[in-house]
Amino acid sequence: MDEASLYEHILGISKPWFVEHIELIKDTVHVYVCCDNNLKLSCPACGKQCSRYDAKPRTWRHLDTCQFQTIVHCDVPRTDCPEHGALQIDVPWAQKKGRFTLMFENLVIDWLKELSINAVARRFNLSWNAVDRIMRDAVERGLRLRKEPDIKHLSVDEVSRKKGHRYVTVISNQQGQVINVQSGKDKDGLIRFYQGLTQTQLAAIETISMDMSPAYIHATLEQIPDAKKKICFDKFHVIQDLNKAVDGVRKTEMTNIAIDHRKSLHLSKYIWMRNEKNLTETHQQIKSQLSKVAIKTARAWAILQYAKTLWGYSYAKSAEKAWMKWYSWATKSRLTPMKTAAKSIKEKLWGIINAIVKNRTNAMAESINAKLKIIKVRAKGFRSETRYKTAIMFYLGGLTLKH
């Protein structure tokens, strides 16, 4: 096999394309590809056979040959279409208007899955914008080719993009695939997502797990049929609200107990937020000692622990009866933060019961949130919301990214 045939095989080309010659200039391999002059050209717009108008020289970066950078050169023919004028025909080794071969872009995509744009740009001696363009093109291509995703069980969660209360709303399914990303965490963003679905898709949604955000609740109630039977309030966020209430009781009580115990109570913040079975022996001792002096905090903690046991019911009536018993205890506890949290939970109890009976949580969405934090750290932040959305879909959209 001669060198021309070798590079034809490497580039994956065949008649009417062929490698004319190859040059090694300094540390770069230049591969010159030609098109058979006898080829009958078809207009890229309408497909009609046309005569050749001229040929336009173009270059593409290809995979390195050993340690040498490889550049592909070709005078690409242009058709002379009576209707559409002079249009350049497509080449089999690169996409239209691309500056890199398909194989090279696929390699960059593989590296992007492991490294940041800056690192990949340094690895291939490319500009940041060139690598970013490859990522954006891959996401756009993946979204065009994506089959209809599973939206029976959705999760909705807000994710912080940067400091200053900059958020995006991430909609995902039970497989951990990000379906859509909307700007902000308000009602309008989620409504835009719902309005992009067909009536058949809206009717196919069985559950929507979310926190108790009024914006998400109102958007879902407005757009989804029988939404009150489908909205599931996530256990994590319910317990999170109760943790905040326990901490509120601890802060209030810290000013009322003896000075000798204030520092210990101050340092015990996260002990009161832990599940009882996860407490170490040292934590158990500290909690046991503080329970004798911080009586209100201990009572709030007991109310929290009881709430954690109310998620194992199979029937709505049994679950509601248990939660109302808990509500009675919480509201009679004479602990203002716990009473406030209990009243909020009672208002949203219908969604909590849905989550219990349908066994739905936002665990997968929280997993996505954790992965996004890693992506932000790796990228050292994102300078625009568009870039952040693209990165989310690239890494977590479950898209076919390669050519």
Side-chain angles (χ1 to χ4, degrees), residues 305-316:
Q305 296 306 309
Y306 182 44
K308 290 180 179 180
T309 67
L310 302 178
W311 295 84
Y313 289 90
S314 301
Y315 300 101

Side-chain angles (χ1 to χ4, degrees), residues 158-175:
E158 75 273 4
V159 178
S160 173
R161 179 174 71 83
K162 60 185 294 187
K163 292 180 180 179
H165 301 287
R166 304 291 181 88
Y167 292 91
V168 294
T169 295
V170 177
I171 301 101
S172 57
N173 62 16
Q174 63 180 343
Q175 287 81 31

Side-chain angles (χ1 to χ4, degrees), residues 91-352:
V91 297
W93 58 84
Q95 61 181 347
K96 187 173 292 187
K97 298 182 179 180
R99 296 189 294 119
F100 310 101
T101 64
L102 303 180
M103 292 182 184
F104 184 83
E105 289 192 4
N106 283 344
L107 180 62
V108 171
I109 289 169
D110 280 337
W111 279 83
L112 278 171
K113 291 177 181 177
E114 306 297 332
L115 300 172
S116 68
I117 289 180
N118 279 331
V120 175
R122 290 194 299 270
R123 165 66 180 80
F124 291 100
N125 194 25
L126 296 171
S127 69
W128 188 96
N129 288 328
V131 180
D132 178 62
R133 178 61 184 269
I134 291 173
M135 177 185 277
R136 285 190 285 114
D137 287 348
V139 171
E140 290 173 6
R141 182 170 57 252
L143 289 173
R144 286 197 305 269
L145 298 175
R146 181 172 69 173
K147 296 179 181 178
E148 189 173 306
D150 181 5
I151 58 171
K152 285 185 179 180
H153 304 286
L154 294 177
S155 294
V156 181
D157 197 15
E158 75 273 4
V159 178
S160 173
R161 179 174 71 83
K162 60 185 294 187
K163 292 180 180 179
H165 301 287
R166 304 291 181 88
Y167 292 91
V168 294
T169 295
V170 177
I171 301 101
S172 57
N173 62 16
Q174 63 180 343
Q175 287 81 31
Q177 177 189 14
V178 174
I179 306 299
N180 194 271
V181 184
Q182 292 290 335
S183 302
K185 59 173 185 177
D186 55 8
K187 174 181 176 181
D188 295 339
L190 191 54
I191 286 178
R192 283 194 297 272
F193 165 70
Y194 289 142
Q195 290 178 343
L197 302 176
T198 64
Q199 290 300 318
T200 303
Q201 288 174 317
L202 291 172
I205 297 174
E206 295 179 7
T207 63
I208 306 166
S209 298
M210 61 178 72
D211 58 23
M212 291 184 283
S213 163
Y216 292 160
I217 296 170
H218 293 154
T220 305
L221 289 173
E222 284 183 18
Q223 300 293 322
I224 303 298
D226 295 325
K228 205 157 187 179
K229 297 179 181 179
K230 300 177 179 181
I231 293 175
C232 300
F233 294 131
D234 180 46
K235 176 183 178 180
F236 172 82
H237 290 96
V238 174
I239 300 302
Q240 188 179 56
D241 286 350
L242 291 174
N243 273 329
K244 291 178 181 177
V246 172
D247 194 48
V249 174
R250 180 190 64 84
K251 289 178 180 178
T252 302
E253 192 168 28
M254 199 160 54
T255 61
N256 299 324
I257 63 173
I259 295 177
D260 295 344
H261 300 292
R262 287 181 186 177
K263 184 176 180 180
S264 297
L265 187 58
H266 171 69
L267 296 175
S268 69
K269 174 179 178 179
Y270 295 103
I271 294 177
W272 301 106
M273 294 184 180
R274 284 175 177 254
N275 198 310
E276 187 172 17
K277 63 182 180 182
N278 295 330
L279 291 175
T280 64
E281 186 175 345
T282 302
H283 291 156
Q284 288 278 15
Q285 291 175 356
I286 294 171
K287 187 181 74 64
S288 178
Q289 291 171 0
L290 288 174
S291 294
K292 298 174 183 178
V293 291
I295 299 172
K296 292 181 179 179
T297 304
R299 188 160 70 248
W301 182 82
I303 295 171
L304 166 63
Q305 296 306 309
Y306 182 44
K308 290 180 179 180
T309 67
L310 302 178
W311 295 84
Y313 289 90
S314 301
Y315 300 101
K317 288 186 177 180
S318 300
E320 185 177 1
K321 184 178 179 181
W323 273 97
M324 291 308 297
K325 181 180 178 182
W326 172 89
Y327 173 78
S328 177
W329 180 20
T331 52
K332 293 176 182 178
S333 64
R334 291 176 294 175
L335 304 173
T336 302
M338 294 304 296
K339 289 167 67 176
T340 302
K343 289 176 182 178
S344 175
I345 287 173
K346 185 183 179 183
E347 291 175 1
K348 308 293 191 308
L349 188 57
W350 52 274
I352 295 173

Side-chain angles (χ1 to χ4, degrees), residues 32-75:
Y32 294 86
V33 178
C34 292
C35 181
D36 188 349
N37 289 329
N38 297 321
L39 173 68
K40 293 182 179 180
L41 303 178
S42 299
C43 174
C46 62
K48 293 180 181 178
Q49 287 194 349
C50 309
S51 60
R52 183 186 298 238
Y53 180 75
D54 64 2
K56 185 177 180 180
R58 292 196 56 197
T59 60
W60 300 265
R61 170 88 179 269
H62 187 53
L63 300 176
D64 292 351
T65 301
C66 297
Q67 73 271 31
F68 300 119
Q69 189 177 111
T70 303
I71 305 297
V72 177
H73 303 260
C74 181
D75 291 341

